[in-house]
Amino acid sequence: MSKRDDLIAKYATDLKEKCKITPDMDFLTKVTIGCGPSIYNKDASTVAGSDQTELDTVKNNFLIKKLGLADGPELDKAISEVIATYGKSNPNKHRAVIYYMLAKHFKKESIYS
């Protein structure tokens, strides 16, 4: 298996075990590929759920720019819900998993078609 396949398997395990979500593997693969080389960088591959700058990056670069959503309180609410689902005390919140859950939340799977 490739390093990317190993990471996708790790993300699927996080979705199942930490988030109690059965992952759509095809969609998870597309989201992971969409993250680009950041998945291989220890710092860039995770999201610090307590760092407002990091959460603003998720909102601006992913929700607004990538998914095409309009800025508003519902974006912050969705990010908070995803962080809570992943587990606030979990220090390793993988960016691909968070993006996967946010894209599903806003029903934006078509962005990756």
Side-chain angles (χ1 to χ4, degrees):
M1 276 180 28
S2 71
K3 185 163 172 92
R4 184 175 71 201
D5 291 339
D6 292 342
L7 289 169
I8 291 168
K10 182 195 302 188
Y11 303 153
T13 299
D14 271 14
L15 282 163
K16 283 184 238 175
E17 294 177 1
K18 296 177 182 169
C19 305
K20 308 298 184 230
I21 295 171
T22 302
D24 171 342
M25 292 306 292
D26 287 340
F27 185 61
L28 179 58
T29 300
K30 289 175 184 176
V31 171
T32 302
I33 291 168
C35 287
S38 71
I39 62 171
Y40 305 109
N41 178 300
K42 186 174 182 343
D43 185 50
S45 68
T46 58
V47 173
S50 59
D51 181 349
Q52 190 57 48
T53 304
E54 186 82 26
L55 300 177
D56 289 343
T57 299
V58 170
K59 180 168 85 169
N60 293 321
N61 292 353
F62 183 68
L63 295 178
I64 295 172
K65 289 180 183 171
K66 177 79 176 178
L67 299 187
L69 299 170
D71 194 1
E74 66 280 353
L75 301 186
D76 294 313
K77 183 175 184 254
I79 292 169
S80 293
E81 289 171 5
V82 164
I83 296 292
T85 299
Y86 210 148
K88 286 187 180 203
S89 63
N90 172 22
N92 296 314
K93 294 175 193 70
H94 297 285
R95 186 171 304 278
V97 174
I98 289 175
Y99 286 7
Y100 172 93
M101 289 193 288
L102 286 168
K104 287 278 192 183
H105 174 84
F106 287 107
K107 298 179 177 24
K108 289 289 192 173
E109 294 93 338
S110 62
I111 295 290
Y112 290 94
S113 295

